[in-house]
Amino acid sequence: MSRKDLILLHSPRAIEEAVAGLARAIDADAGGRPLTVIGVLKGSFIFLADLVRKLQTPLSLDFVRVKSYGKGVFPGEVRLIKDVEIPLHRREVLIVDDIMDTGLTARFLMRHARKRRPRSCRLCVLLDKPSRRLTRIVPDYSGFVIPDVFAVGYGLDCNERYRGLPALYALNQPVPAAGRSRNG
Ligand code: PRP
């Protein structure tokens, strides 16, 4: 697809290979122990769907939804909108998100999950944008490290646009204020 508003970051084939590699690494670390996989809505939905279909490890699945206040120029508070509904106590927990930017969402969710005393708690992100990091958190698994661009497609949006695109793109235009739920 050729579009003026988007610059290709990663093709569907490159994404598929990256997701397969992540699944192999997660399976190897799980060592056959069942996983409790937590998807972070909404952006992770396509990545999560592809990842769980590549994992060999048996798993339970649930979702969380968070909202960040003051993101963009002044990143700030993260609040839980929807919690998991399955137990995490003594489970091998894997949090799956589409992108780690400041790391505030990931830090909040790791702390939240660890309060339930899981056996382990790991974090898997498809995209890691370390240039924007405001925390020391490092993902256990990441598919691609990206520069400081506003990534869309494959679940990621700008003002709810582009989520359904099968590839990952950088937005080639100023990000409208309403689209800045995520940094860019
Ligand atoms: C995105 C992404 C992460 C978070 C990462 O969510 O899905 O959850 O931002 O940003 P951070 O590292 O700076 O905390 P977004 O707020 O865009 O919501 P969405 O997933 O519903 O699109």
Side-chain angles (χ1 to χ4, degrees), residues 42-43 65 71 97-99 101-103 105 157 163 181:
K42 306 181 210 176
R65 179 142 168 73
K71 289 189 83 173
D97 208 347
D98 52 342
I99 184 167
D101 200 324
T102 63
T105 302
D157 76 310
R163 286 197 199 273
S181 66

Side-chain angles (χ1 to χ4, degrees), residues 71-174:
K71 289 189 83 173
V73 181
F74 301 110
E77 187 187 356
V78 181
R79 281 192 213 156
L80 198 66
I81 304 297
K82 184 221 170 294
D83 203 352
V84 288
E85 293 158 44
I86 58 177
L88 305 186
H89 185 57
R90 300 173 72 85
R91 306 294 171 94
E92 312 278 353
V93 171
L94 179 71
I95 297 172
V96 176
D97 208 347
D98 52 342
I99 184 167
M100 188 191 298
D101 200 324
T102 63
L104 291 169
T105 302
R107 185 175 70 181
F108 173 88
L109 289 172
M110 294 290 277
R111 285 177 176 170
H112 182 72
R114 283 182 174 138
K115 285 182 194 159
R116 312 277 179 90
R117 300 195 173 277
R119 200 180 299 278
S120 68
C121 185
R122 292 197 169 101
L123 175 68
C124 175
V125 297
L126 180 63
L127 302 179
D128 184 7
K129 197 201 286 188
S131 57
R132 303 277 308 183
R133 199 74 91 248
L134 294 175
T135 62
R136 287 194 204 163
I137 194 158
V138 176
D140 297 282
Y141 312 96
S142 76
F144 303 103
V145 175
I146 61 166
D148 189 9
V149 295
F150 198 101
V152 297
Y154 197 68
L156 288 86
D157 76 310
C158 177
N159 203 13
E160 296 302 330
R161 283 187 70 196
Y162 308 114
R163 286 197 199 273
L165 297 179
L168 282 159
Y169 298 88
L171 206 60
N172 189 27
Q173 62 186 22

Side-chain angles (χ1 to χ4, degrees), residues 25-40:
I26 293 165
D27 279 334
D29 289 348
R33 293 181 298 278
L35 286 169
T36 298
V37 177
I38 303 175
V40 185

